[in-house]
Amino acid sequence: MKYWLTLLLGLYALVAQAGIEVHKFSSPAVENDYKELVAELRCLVCQNQNLADSNADLAVDLRNQVFKMLEEGKSKQEILDYMVARYGDFVLYRPPLDKATALLWLGPAIILLFGMLGAFLFIRNHRLSPDDQDEESGNTAP
Amino acid sequence: MKLKHLIPLVIFLVIAGFLAYGLSLDPRKVPSPLIGKPAPQFELPSLLEPGKTVSTQDYRGQVWLLNVWATWCVSCRQEHGLLVDVSRNLDIPLVGLDYKDEAEPAKQWLQRLGNPYQVVAFDADGMVGIDWGVYGTPETYLIDKQGIIRFKQIGPITPQILRDTILPMVQHLEESA
């Protein structure tokens, strides 16, 4: 059983190897920048994946482009600008805060506020109901 | 019934409203940042004339269309017949950009299905495609006399889009200086 499992996993490793392109980074800092960039750039073909995860042809090309630009000494911001100039804010998983994205960025905070307000009201009503009178004396108000 | 019992219903309706709107959008339609910007320059080998090149410089001062296609692209084939038809009565250049393709199958494709293009630029490694923000073939760009991209169609052109959007825009751009 163990033997077969080892063999199976070994075969799987072969398959997994096939889809990966190998980049020779000139320094660990560049490799780090590369990993960060491909994680936060969106693949335009399969839109719910980032460049790092996608096997689409275009994603491979764009990864190579990111690698090439980093090795040419371009900064991360220059590469992000390069991508945005071609594909728009859509390629960024963290789009800039502006009028169109305000709801996207502030939405969670607004929902949290509503939730806190609801919780506050609920707790206050609960406290004032008669069955909880004796319990209330033991608590300090927030 | 107390008013506050309606709150969950209201929240549900708001969320349902957003979701219904979301379903009506086409996620493939990414607004192009290139509309209203100068078309990226390129100079590429011509697919059909060995030794010659196709350059955006050749079209300065003209209104022209760039159609991005490839033999591996299924919807390009669907669009191709329309392009062949259109090219017969089109008085502006229709330039093809053969994107990430192989030369021989591409030539055969044009021989078999007809060639609607004035010239075809051959973008084997897709670098020009990246400059133009191509992410889903077919894509069609309308460029004005100043070299500004005025319109981009993502996905196949339909007779309706051609009649209602592209041809009127071409006429308008042709008339302006």
Side-chain angles (χ1 to χ4, degrees), chain B:
Chain B
M1 185 155 107
K2 278 196 197 160
L3 206 60
K4 76 171 189 187
H5 291 142
L6 285 175
I7 291 175
L9 183 66
V10 171
I11 293 174
F12 168 76
L13 286 178
V14 169
I15 294 174
F18 273 107
L19 293 179
Y21 178 65
L23 279 178
S24 73
L25 299 175
D26 181 358
R28 301 265 309 151
K29 293 236 153 55
V30 178
S32 173
L34 284 167
I35 308 281
K37 299 250 174 67
Q41 301 289 305
F42 66 74
E43 184 160 7
L44 284 172
S46 166
L47 177 69
L48 299 173
E49 303 143 292
K52 285 196 174 175
T53 59
V54 183
S55 163
T56 43
Q57 288 298 329
D58 305 343
Y59 299 98
R60 276 216 93 79
Q62 292 186 71
V63 179
W64 59 290
L65 285 163
L66 181 76
N67 178 252
V68 184
W69 65 283
T71 51
W72 46 262
C73 152
V74 180
S75 29
C76 296
R77 194 184 180 111
Q78 179 195 334
E79 183 189 59
H80 200 82
L82 180 69
L83 289 179
V84 172
D85 280 350
V86 169
S87 65
R88 294 204 185 98
N89 310 313
L90 198 68
D91 40 11
I92 63 169
L94 174 61
V95 178
L97 181 72
D98 189 17
Y99 172 67
K100 285 180 76 80
D101 209 351
E102 281 164 42
E104 274 316 309
K107 286 180 196 164
Q108 283 168 20
W109 158 296
L110 292 178
Q111 228 161 40
R112 207 173 56 237
L113 302 170
N115 179 5
Y117 307 109
Q118 197 176 66
V119 282
V120 179
F122 185 52
D123 183 22
D125 60 4
M127 284 311 294
V128 168
I130 290 179
D131 276 343
W132 284 67
V134 170
Y135 65 88
T137 46
E139 292 189 11
T140 307
Y141 298 80
L142 177 61
I143 300 105
D144 74 5
K145 292 176 186 170
Q146 281 77 40
I148 308 287
I149 296 178
R150 289 297 177 178
F151 175 79
K152 175 183 179 183
Q153 167 66 24
I154 296 159
I157 297 174
T158 62
Q160 194 191 3
I161 292 167
L162 189 74
R163 191 185 58 231
D164 297 345
T165 313
I166 298 180
L167 291 180
M169 276 185 95
V170 167
Q171 198 182 5
H172 174 77
L173 292 172
E174 282 274 64
E175 282 160 7
S176 59

Side-chain angles (χ1 to χ4, degrees), chain A:
Chain A
M1 179 63 202
K2 211 171 181 181
Y3 171 75
W4 287 111
L5 199 68
T6 315
L7 190 67
L8 205 68
L9 285 173
L11 285 175
Y12 179 72
L14 281 179
V15 178
Q17 202 67 58
I20 296 168
E21 69 266 18
V22 184
H23 293 306
K24 276 236 174 296
F25 294 98
S26 56
S27 77
V30 171
E31 184 172 1
N32 222 9
D33 284 351
Y34 173 83
K35 281 182 180 155
E36 277 177 42
L37 280 170
V38 295
E40 70 181 65
L41 286 168
R42 185 202 292 257
C43 169
L44 290 118
V45 181
C46 15
Q47 300 184 341
N48 291 329
Q49 284 186 312
N50 57 22
L51 286 188
D53 290 342
S54 176
N55 276 325
D57 246 17
L58 181 64
V60 177
D61 288 354
L62 291 180
R63 277 202 295 265
N64 287 332
Q65 187 66 13
V66 169
F67 173 72
K68 212 175 86 191
M69 290 177 80
L70 279 173
E71 288 295 339
E72 282 166 7
K74 297 265 182 359
S75 74
K76 273 167 74 182
Q77 193 54 48
E78 278 175 302
I79 294 170
L80 289 177
D81 290 346
Y82 171 93
M83 293 296 172
V84 169
R86 284 159 181 72
Y87 301 103
D89 286 343
F90 190 82
V91 288
L92 304 175
Y93 265 118
R94 292 182 293 155
L97 177 60
D98 60 29
K99 246 193 290 178
T101 58
L103 195 64
L104 184 68
W105 278 105
L106 303 178
I110 294 170
I111 291 170
L112 182 68
L113 274 178
F114 271 107
M116 278 161 59
L117 187 75
F120 172 75
L121 290 177
F122 179 79
I123 291 166
R124 201 184 57 175
N125 287 347
H126 197 69
R127 264 226 188 118
L128 292 180
S129 66
D131 3 318
D132 295 335
Q133 282 296 329
D134 46 85
E135 217 176 281
E136 198 184 10
S137 54
N139 287 332
T140 43

